[in-house]
Amino acid sequence: PKMKEDNCLHAALICLVMLYYSHAITTEKLNHTRPSLHGHHEKGKEGQVLHRSKRGWVWNQFFVIEEYTGPDPVLVGRLHSDIDSGDGNIKYILSGEGAGIIFVIDDKSGNIHATKTLDREERAQYTLTAQAVDRNTNRPLEPPSEFIVKVQDINDNPPEFLHENYHANVPERSNVGTSVIQVTASDADDPTYGNSAKLVYSILEGQPYFSVEAQTGIIRTALPNMDREAKEEYHVVIQAKDMGGHMGGLSGTTKVTITLTDVNDNPPKFPQSVYQMSVSEAAVPGEEVGRVKAKDPDIGENGLVAYSIIDGDGMDMFEITTDYETQEGVVKLKKLLDFETKKSYSLKVEAANVHIDPKFISNGPFKDTVTVKISVEDADEPPVFLKPSYVFEVQENAASGTVVGKVHAKDPDAANSAIRYSIDRHTDLERYFVINAEDGNIKTIKALDREEIAWHNISVFAVEVHKQHQEAKVPVAIKVVDVNDNAPKFAAAYEAFVCENARSNQQFITISADDKDESANGPRFIFSLPPEIIHNPNFTLRDNRDNTASVLVRREGFSRQKQDLYLLPIVISDGGLPPMSSTNTLTIRVCGCDSNGSLLSCNAEAYILNAGLSTGALIAILACIVILLVIVVLFVTLKRQKKEPLIVFEEEDVRENIITYDDEGGGEEDTEAFDIATLQNPDGINGFIPRKDIKPEYQYMPRPGLRPAPNSVDVDDFINTRIQEADNDPTAPPYDSIQIYGYEGRGSVAGSLSSLESATTDSDLDYDYLQNWGPRFKKLADLYGSKDTFDDDS
């Protein structure tokens, strides 16, 4: 060992010497750019002193293998200065990265050792500085010099993939060599030194379906026509090995999960050739009959299937829709069925893919067909009316029992049960109609009035005799046909006005009429005057032939004093068959108008006052009346003040206001109790009695023989006579008035009934009987029963 060490030292020294001389030559060629403290002095031409620089160190670039695990520290190298004579006066000092910790130097020999195991992947090189100083004085003998210790790489790191697991997709039926995914591994070893980091990829699992490129790590498909429906997912293991894949290299693996994505490479297929279904004839349109399903192993939009009916005798009765959630075809009823008419139907249903992949169109049609047979089941159906609704007509005022119309229903079942009819009384509350339960004839119960109800909307029930729950209902509209049973009338409550100064043939009002009947029995209206007044001297009527009429003045000049109100009857006829007519009275009032025809006043009393008295006279009359009233009031007041002391009695002698009449009627036989002659004025028997409510224009002499005898007691004759006189008096107003009789009568045998005057005279009555009436009548007995006492006192 000692010999080996010496040999190593000799080799190191030889290397250092060679480096030294090569460096010296290089330095000399570079015009002495690196001076040294130790060198040879030469004299050049012309006495110049030349200095040749030389390197003072003898050293080499050092290398240390990483991961060295020997028992002794590894020798990195040796530093030696050319001025070192070996006497131990030179001391070597090491500084820099890792000095004293990782690298130590023998200060006498200059040997450098590594005390720790080095890892190139942690640090690839270290930069150190060496210096030679005098051991005694620590004076630098050489300038410091840097050198590098490189850590030499060994293959101590396996390849590592970026991910532990990869996931990738590739379409099914892809061509061989289709790229799936690229996996990448990394090696921490030095890629510039040896093959420690040279990686090679290989597939450990997943063959023969997939392969991997050795240099790039790209995974590709290796088999054609891989079918997702057969196998959808594959697990592939990829290995990365360093050292170029040779033996002794390190390796790492990763897992790749590859999923085949779906393509539309399979057409839909029905699992059977015929489907059997059934439906009740009572089913309503839209009700589901059954379902069919064509299987398509594809998924997603590639597996979508649309259903349609392409043929069959039930195309008009049934329809099919697609339930995309379950991928089923739903057969539904389209129209009502009738078991008695047709008992079975057949459909040809087609199922086709919605989305077609052009790459696989050559595989054949992506659709399939199936036969669907549907049988109709019999159901117990309610009665069916022959019409969905009925409309009848009946004349108004028709007699009870008149036939309106007939409804008819039948049992659609094969049993053909008997039907019973009835009216829904909620739709005929007034009970205008009745129906025959056997044959469905509808009749009236009472007369109908179109003007009251023009349409009657009722409902009729039909029920099977043996199955009361089977019921049908139909609406029946009954129109009441108009009959001309209403006469036309005035359209409004007309009140006409005619001026006193109206001209002949002047129109003063236009009237129209209304008729409750329909237009066929109403207009046109015909207006006319009654035959008995067709030659009315005051007014005339003109039919305008447009359902209106105008009233005109026949003569000129009207007087409110003579007559201020006229009643004109007008006959109105309609255009019905037979026509109806009515007489309507038009009230015409005579009014005062100005010269332009503007209305001023229609008051007859005001007219009379204005004609007889002026405004000044009226004021004077009113003033006189007021003065008379004031005088009467003053007279009454003074009279009461004078009599007031006579009325005041002492409290115990105050008389109550009891007036006693001792006259008793003579009974029915007393004919003198009421004399009709008192109602008559004897002074006016043969004379004329003037009216006080009007001012007569001329003297009217009553006709002789109309007044009864003075001694007549026939009140009815007397009153009738007065009425006849008033009716025949042209000066009398056209309204009833009160007959005033101011004659009191003569020869009355009855005396005064005043209690005031009777108190001053002696009475023949005896009031002593009041003493026997008890204490309640004591006061009256004291007042009226003390006659003797008064006499004695006098």
Side-chain angles (χ1 to χ4, degrees):
K2 186 176 181 181
M3 294 178 65
K4 291 181 178 180
E5 184 177 355
D6 291 338
N7 292 332
C8 291
L9 290 174
H10 289 140
L13 287 174
I14 292 171
C15 290
L16 288 173
V17 171
M18 293 175 68
L19 288 171
Y20 171 75
Y21 279 107
S22 63
H23 183 268
I25 296 171
T26 304
T27 305
E28 194 172 11
K29 290 180 179 179
L30 293 175
N31 298 322
H32 311 285
T33 60
R34 188 175 183 182
S36 176
L37 293 176
H38 303 281
H40 297 281
H41 301 282
E42 295 182 359
K43 291 184 179 181
K45 295 178 179 181
E46 297 179 352
Q48 293 180 351
V49 178
L50 300 176
H51 300 280
R52 185 184 67 180
S53 298
K54 65 176 181 179
R55 186 177 181 86
W57 291 105
V58 178
W59 61 282
N60 198 359
Q61 186 176 16
F62 303 125
F63 293 90
V64 178
I65 298 176
E66 67 171 336
E67 304 294 344
Y68 177 76
T69 58
D72 299 325
V74 61
L75 177 62
V76 176
R78 181 181 180 186
L79 301 178
H80 183 70
S81 177
D82 56 352
I83 63 174
D84 186 3
S85 60
D87 54 3
N89 291 329
I90 295 176
K91 181 181 179 181
Y92 295 98
I93 299 174
L94 185 66
S95 63
E97 297 174 346
I101 299 174
I102 299 175
F103 302 103
V104 295
I105 188 172
D106 188 346
D107 59 356
K108 292 183 180 181
S109 62
N111 291 333
I112 300 173
H113 290 82
T115 62
K116 291 184 178 181
T117 303
L118 301 179
D119 187 359
R120 189 202 67 83
E121 286 70 38
E122 182 179 346
R123 187 163 189 155
Q125 66 181 19
Y126 297 87
T127 303
L128 299 171
T129 302
Q131 188 176 17
V133 299
D134 187 275
R135 186 178 294 275
N136 295 321
T137 62
N138 285 334
R139 181 176 62 85
L141 300 177
E142 291 285 348
S145 180
E146 289 185 354
F147 65 93
I148 296 174
V149 177
K150 289 187 176 182
V151 181
Q152 188 174 354
D153 182 51
I154 64 173
N155 189 19
D156 60 342
N157 290 281
E160 293 184 355
F161 285 92
L162 297 179
H163 303 285
E164 184 178 355
N165 292 288
Y166 289 85
H167 294 275
N169 297 322
V170 64
E172 63 173 332
R173 307 287 183 182
S174 296
N175 297 327
V176 174
T178 301
S179 175
V180 179
I181 191 175
Q182 182 179 15
V183 293
T184 304
S186 62
D187 196 320
D189 292 327
D190 188 1
T192 63
Y193 180 78
N195 294 326
S196 298
K198 186 177 182 181
L199 304 181
V200 174
Y201 297 94
S202 61
I203 183 168
L204 300 182
E205 296 182 13
Q207 294 175 330
Y209 306 103
F210 300 95
S211 64
V212 64
E213 291 183 358
Q215 305 302 323
T216 61
I218 297 175
I219 302 174
R220 299 181 182 275
T221 58
L223 284 181
N225 297 325
M226 284 191 292
D227 191 3
R228 184 201 66 84
E229 288 73 33
K231 186 175 182 180
E232 183 177 9
E233 191 173 84
Y234 295 85
H235 297 282
V236 178
V237 178
I238 302 298
Q239 181 189 66
K241 190 174 183 181
D242 58 14
M243 298 303 290
H246 295 89
M247 294 182 60
L250 302 178
S251 64
T253 60
T254 185
K255 294 180 180 180
V256 182
T257 301
I258 301 175
T259 302
L260 298 182
T261 58
D262 185 63
V263 297
N264 190 11
D265 59 339
N266 293 281
K269 188 71 176 176
F270 284 105
Q272 58 196 69
S273 59
V274 178
Y275 283 87
Q276 296 286 345
M277 299 180 184
S278 62
V279 60
S280 172
E281 65 172 336
V284 297
E287 187 172 333
E288 181 178 329
V289 178
R291 295 188 173 217
V292 297
K293 184 175 183 179
K295 294 183 178 180
D296 190 332
D298 296 323
I299 59 175
E301 67 175 13
N302 297 318
L304 292 180
V305 179
Y307 298 87
S308 61
I309 300 175
I310 60 175
D311 198 6
D313 58 359
M315 292 183 64
D316 295 335
M317 304 299 295
F318 300 92
E319 61 182 354
I320 190 168
T321 59
T322 303
D323 185 347
Y324 285 104
E325 291 185 1
T326 61
Q327 289 298 301
E328 294 177 319
V330 183
V331 180
K332 295 182 178 180
L333 183 62
K334 191 175 180 181
K335 296 181 180 180
L336 291 174
L337 301 172
D338 186 8
F339 173 81
E340 289 71 25
T341 303
K342 189 172 177 62
K343 297 179 175 57
S344 65
Y345 295 89
S346 177
L347 302 175
K348 188 175 183 180
V349 176
E350 179 185 79
N353 278 137
V354 177
H355 301 281
I356 305 298
D357 193 338
K359 296 179 181 179
F360 305 100
I361 195 68
S362 60
N363 291 0
F366 282 78
K367 57 186 177 180
D368 193 17
T369 58
V370 71
T371 300
V372 179
K373 294 185 178 297
I374 303 174
S375 59
V376 181
E377 296 179 350
D378 189 20
D380 189 9
E381 300 173 88
V384 177
F385 283 93
L386 298 186
K387 295 182 180 179
S389 62
Y390 291 86
V391 178
F392 299 128
E393 291 184 356
V394 60
Q395 285 192 345
E396 65 174 328
N397 302 327
S400 177
T402 301
V403 176
V404 176
K406 180 179 181 180
V407 298
H408 183 67
K410 66 176 183 177
D411 182 11
D413 298 322
N416 195 16
S417 301
I419 306 297
R420 293 293 180 268
Y421 303 94
S422 63
I423 294 178
D424 183 2
R425 286 304 170 190
H426 292 92
T427 61
D428 186 25
L429 296 176
E430 299 297 329
R431 294 184 175 270
Y432 287 103
F433 306 97
V434 68
I435 190 170
N436 190 307
E438 302 292 336
D439 57 14
N441 274 322
I442 301 175
K443 298 180 180 180
T444 60
I445 300 178
K446 50 187 176 181
L448 306 178
D449 187 359
R450 188 204 66 86
E451 287 70 41
E452 181 179 352
I453 303 176
W455 284 87
H456 294 267
N457 296 303
I458 65 174
S459 296
V460 175
F461 291 112
V463 182
E464 293 184 17
V465 174
H466 302 294
K467 299 175 182 177
Q468 298 294 326
H469 65 282
Q470 294 293 359
E471 180 182 78
K473 186 177 181 181
V474 68
V476 178
I478 301 173
K479 179 182 179 181
V480 182
V481 180
D482 184 46
V483 174
N484 192 21
D485 58 346
N486 290 276
K489 295 181 179 180
F490 276 161
Y494 294 107
E495 185 173 359
F497 302 91
V498 62
C499 295
E500 288 181 305
N501 56 357
R503 300 185 306 274
S504 177
N505 294 325
Q506 179 181 350
Q507 175 183 335
F508 59 90
I509 189 172
T510 300
I511 60 175
S512 61
D514 280 339
D515 195 327
K516 294 182 180 180
D517 295 320
E518 290 182 346
S519 59
N521 292 317
R524 96 164 183 87
F525 297 121
I526 301 173
F527 300 85
S528 62
L529 295 177
E532 60 271 15
I533 63 168
I534 192 66
H535 300 294
N536 184 287
N538 300 316
F539 306 101
T540 184
L541 184 70
R542 182 180 64 203
D543 193 335
N544 297 326
R545 298 185 180 275
D546 59 354
N547 295 326
T548 64
S550 300
V551 182
L552 297 86
V553 177
R554 182 183 289 271
R555 66 181 177 87
E556 295 184 357
F558 289 87
S559 175
R560 280 182 291 169
Q561 179 183 5
K562 294 181 179 181
Q563 185 172 351
D564 66 341
L565 189 69
Y566 292 90
L567 300 178
L568 181 65
I570 298 176
V571 178
I572 308 176
S573 301
D574 58 24
L577 291 175
M580 295 284 292
S581 63
S582 66
T583 301
N584 301 263
T585 301
L586 178 65
T587 301
I588 304 173
R589 189 175 297 277
V590 180
C591 301
C593 304
D594 58 12
S595 60
N596 296 326
S598 299
L599 184 67
L600 294 179
S601 173
C602 297
N603 193 330
E605 288 76 7
Y607 174 83
I608 294 172
L609 291 175
N610 291 335
L613 296 175
S614 63
T615 303
L618 289 175
I619 294 174
I621 293 173
L622 291 175
C624 292
I625 293 173
V626 171
I627 294 172
L628 290 174
L629 290 175
V630 172
I631 294 173
V632 171
V633 171
L634 291 175
F635 177 76
V636 173
T637 303
L638 293 174
K639 187 175 181 180
R640 287 184 178 179
Q641 289 178 354
K642 292 178 180 181
K643 293 182 179 181
E644 190 173 1
L646 299 176
I647 301 175
V648 177
F649 295 91
E650 295 181 359
E651 183 178 357
E652 66 273 10
D653 197 28
V654 175
R655 296 172 180 253
E656 294 182 4
N657 294 327
I658 299 176
I659 301 173
T660 303
Y661 299 96
D662 56 353
D663 293 339
E664 182 178 357
E668 296 179 357
E669 297 179 357
D670 186 3
T671 59
E672 298 298 328
F674 176 75
D675 187 5
I676 193 63
T678 60
L679 297 177
Q680 301 172 346
N681 187 354
D683 298 333
I685 295 177
N686 298 321
F688 173 70
I689 301 175
R691 301 287 299 236
K692 295 183 179 182
D693 53 349
I694 62 172
K695 182 178 180 180
E697 294 181 354
Y698 56 89
Q699 186 69 30
Y700 171 75
M701 294 301 293
R703 289 178 292 178
L706 296 178
R707 187 180 303 277
N711 295 328
S712 174
V713 295
D714 190 351
V715 179
D716 185 50
D717 292 341
F718 172 76
I719 293 175
N720 290 333
T721 302
R722 290 298 187 186
I723 293 175
Q724 188 174 6
E725 291 178 358
D727 291 341
N728 294 325
D729 186 0
T731 62
Y735 48 84
D736 293 338
S737 61
I738 300 175
Q739 300 295 324
I740 301 172
Y741 304 97
Y743 180 69
E744 182 180 359
R746 293 180 301 172
S748 176
V749 296
S752 175
L753 300 178
S754 174
S755 61
L756 296 177
E757 296 182 3
S758 64
T760 58
T761 60
D762 293 336
S763 175
D764 296 333
L765 295 176
D766 185 9
Y767 296 99
D768 291 339
Y769 61 90
L770 294 175
Q771 300 290 340
N772 300 326
W773 283 19
R776 293 186 178 182
F777 296 90
K778 184 177 183 302
K779 180 66 70 176
L780 291 175
D782 293 340
L783 291 175
Y784 295 97
S786 57
K787 177 180 179 182
D788 297 340
T789 304
F790 293 149
D791 293 339
D792 296 339
D793 294 339
S794 61

